[in-house]
Amino acid sequence: MAKELLDKPILVLDGGLGTTLEDEHGIKFSFKTPLWSSHLLIENTSTLRKVQQDFASAGADIILTATYQSSFDGFENTKMSNKDDDSIGLEEARKYMLSAVDLAREAFVGRPGLVALSLGAYGATMIPSTEYSGAYGPMNGDDLFKFHMDRISTFQDNQKAWQEIDLVAFETLPRIDEVRAVVNVMQTTANKPYWISCVFPNDDRCLPDGTTIDELIESLLLPPKGGARHHHQPWAIGINCTKIHKISKLINAFENTSKRSSLDLPRLVLYPDGAGNQVYDTKLQQWVGDNSDQKPWDLQMADIIQEVTQRGAWKGIVVGGCCKTTPYHIQQLRKRVDALK
């Protein structure tokens, strides 16, 4: 069944888990909860379960696990309401991270659906988070390889959890060395499809570290230098947590680069935020600005999907939402997608 779903030309992803928990369920995140939505794996699984089921009921084909900001340091630094002193050690952290897989699967309530393992950028685990800037301090490519390998190994080393994971999603990557590190990590896990989505907060021509789209696409689609002859290419590449008004131009740039470089594009994964003109202040840990848009988010998404499918440059498309998109947004997007068929 997973293979049949993966072959669908358009798949609908879920929306902004963390912001939905905040806006619709009164969950408060702060420096005491560095795991963000992953904190609910520890203390509030019932609310997490409800939100993920809401996204599935809204029509999502894919549910992301609540592990975007999970890290061993994050668990160690978490302040728990029922514990004053003991930190969460490695084995306990692994247990919580693995539990996210079952929760995501349960969201479908027995219906067919895909579980995507959510693995955010290294910067998403920093305090304050820096996945929008790529300011990682002394971290280099080797360090980033180890970080991502250690984290994915938690799931790969557990046969039951790994079998339940249909896709691996590396999200909000702001730096080319992190993109390359992730591609190298996935050369060791050739049995699992994966996507890489990048963030474009400042410019619609380059990543936060200044990497051009030409260099990005080549790093995503060409075999790593000195790597194995068989290249485990991403199942999908794309954009997340980026303003929706930038999306069309970015997709065109991706397509133009592939033509110039004679590279076949895989699927496109696309989940911009639904925050309108609001931006997230990482120091205040809150959204600031105006959240209005001229057109409804789902209608803007439908226009983009039509443009992409008409050009036919991609093998398929995965569409959903990031920050500030709710189950209602996904429900409306589902209707738009179904109307395109």
Side-chain angles (χ1 to χ4, degrees), residues 1 5 11 16 25 268 313 330:
M1 182 58 69
L5 284 173
L11 287 163
H25 296 272
L268 172 66
I330 300 307

Side-chain angles (χ1 to χ4, degrees), residues 119-124 130-131 134 136 140-141 144-145 147-148 151 170-185 196 209:
L119 299 174
Y122 172 77
T130 60
E131 70 264 49
Y136 290 0
N140 60 31
L144 291 168
F145 177 88
F147 167 79
H148 285 287
R151 190 166 54 167
F170 294 97
E171 309 181 85
T172 332
L173 302 190
R175 295 168 40 147
I176 195 65
D177 58 350
E178 188 163 25
V179 169
R180 290 169 178 156
V182 163
V183 171
N184 282 324
V185 164
I196 296 176
D209 71 346

